[in-house]
Amino acid sequence: MSGAFENFGADFSHLPDGARMECGVCWRVYDPAVGDDYWQIPPGTPFSALPDHWTCPNCDTPRERFVRLENPQEEAQRQRVTAFYERVARESMADVPICNDALSVEVVDIQPWRDGWLLVLLTPWCLNLLYLPEDQDGADWQNFRDGDKASYLFPAGRYSFVKQDLDGLGRSQTCSLVSPMGLFADQDGARLTAQAILAALNDPANGETEDQGTPLFEQTKPQEESAPAPVDRRQFLRGKFQSATSESA
């Protein structure tokens, strides 16, 4: 068996889309970037999206017995970002009214992307995509100026990121997805929404989405007592979720 691993059992709901999974019997690795020719699974299919009948193509072991292969670089970035934003939450955002006290800092997903890492960052005050460099000499990080914008193409369309150089974190680029966070009653609900948005961004069916220079959702109405309706991925990316919420209030 190779490297460190994490056992997910039968619950893959928190598994990042890019996670590589290893069979606990024969050590065969499922890599989402490659897919699975035996089961005719196309490249780009996350382990969590495999059909229920899928088994190890080498030894027929059910997917519940697969374990995640941890990437030391990913884990280091996750811990670094979490520690930085937990400090921001304590020292700078503790008394800010827009913060949702039911939420905490969490890196929901991290994937290798372009010249570095793409993270989905959940905090009590925002839900962002966060792009970090692996090599600060890469094309996306040259002529870097605080406050400049860069536009990147996802399967669902182009989205704008703002460049920033933060003391304690260094260079990064952020794309605002949700702010403020009063919509969410708890961490689980916010996490599920973050996962749904990431899946929608990587879905070519949403490809008619135009370039987004502002948050995909801005809450303007107070949170109601009842739980909000489930987020429709396509409507969310097209900016229709806010109007639908207002009509139902």
Side-chain angles (χ1 to χ4, degrees):
M1 185 180 298
S2 55
F5 63 91
E6 182 178 358
N7 192 342
F8 275 74
D11 181 13
F12 305 110
S13 60
H14 299 165
L15 190 65
D17 286 350
R20 298 167 66 243
M21 302 291 286
E22 184 177 75
C23 177
V25 175
C26 73
W27 306 344
R28 171 81 174 239
V29 173
Y30 177 81
D31 186 344
V34 177
D36 180 4
D37 288 340
Y38 180 83
W39 285 104
Q40 297 182 338
I41 303 297
T45 303
F47 191 83
S48 59
L50 293 175
D52 290 340
H53 64 266
W54 186 91
T55 59
C56 176
N58 187 57
C59 69
D60 208 32
T61 294
R63 62 178 185 158
E64 289 77 11
R65 296 189 63 184
F66 274 65
V67 293
R68 180 184 176 188
L69 290 173
E70 293 183 351
N71 184 317
Q73 291 180 309
E74 287 183 12
E75 187 58 28
Q77 292 287 0
R78 182 190 298 272
Q79 292 180 7
R80 185 171 74 93
V81 169
T82 300
F84 174 80
Y85 280 96
E86 284 179 342
R87 179 167 61 84
V88 171
R90 291 192 308 270
E91 299 179 0
S92 304
M93 302 296 292
D95 298 321
V96 177
I98 65 169
C99 288
N100 184 341
D101 293 338
L103 305 180
S104 59
V105 172
E106 179 181 346
V107 174
V108 176
D109 193 283
I110 179 170
Q111 303 176 11
W113 191 63
R114 298 180 63 90
D115 291 328
W117 307 94
L118 184 68
L119 298 82
V120 182
L121 176 66
L122 167 62
T123 75
W125 60 92
C126 69
L127 175 61
N128 288 347
L129 296 179
L130 181 65
Y131 178 25
L132 298 177
E134 182 175 22
D135 178 5
Q136 298 206 15
D137 293 327
D140 291 347
W141 305 94
Q142 294 178 4
N143 302 316
F144 191 96
R145 292 191 304 178
D146 223 20
D148 281 358
K149 291 185 177 181
S151 180
Y152 299 115
L153 182 63
F154 289 80
R158 285 194 172 272
Y159 290 86
S160 293
F161 286 67
V162 178
K163 298 180 179 181
Q164 54 188 1
D165 195 343
L166 301 175
D167 186 22
L169 183 66
R171 290 181 176 182
S172 66
Q173 302 181 37
T174 61
C175 175
S176 181
L177 300 175
V178 181
S179 181
M181 301 291 280
L183 169 71
F184 302 108
D186 54 38
Q187 189 82 3
D188 287 343
R191 183 187 303 112
L192 287 172
T193 298
Q195 293 169 340
I197 294 173
L198 182 62
L201 284 170
N202 288 305
D203 186 352
N206 299 313
E208 63 269 32
T209 303
E210 297 296 330
D211 184 28
Q212 303 291 324
T214 58
L216 299 182
F217 175 81
E218 284 193 53
Q219 184 178 333
T220 58
K221 297 180 70 66
Q223 184 175 344
E224 302 291 340
E225 291 290 335
S226 57
V231 177
D232 180 279
R233 295 177 184 175
R234 189 171 300 175
Q235 285 190 354
F236 199 108
L237 289 176
R238 293 175 182 169
K240 296 180 179 177
F241 181 67
Q242 181 176 353
S243 60
T245 305
S246 300
E247 291 171 2
S248 62

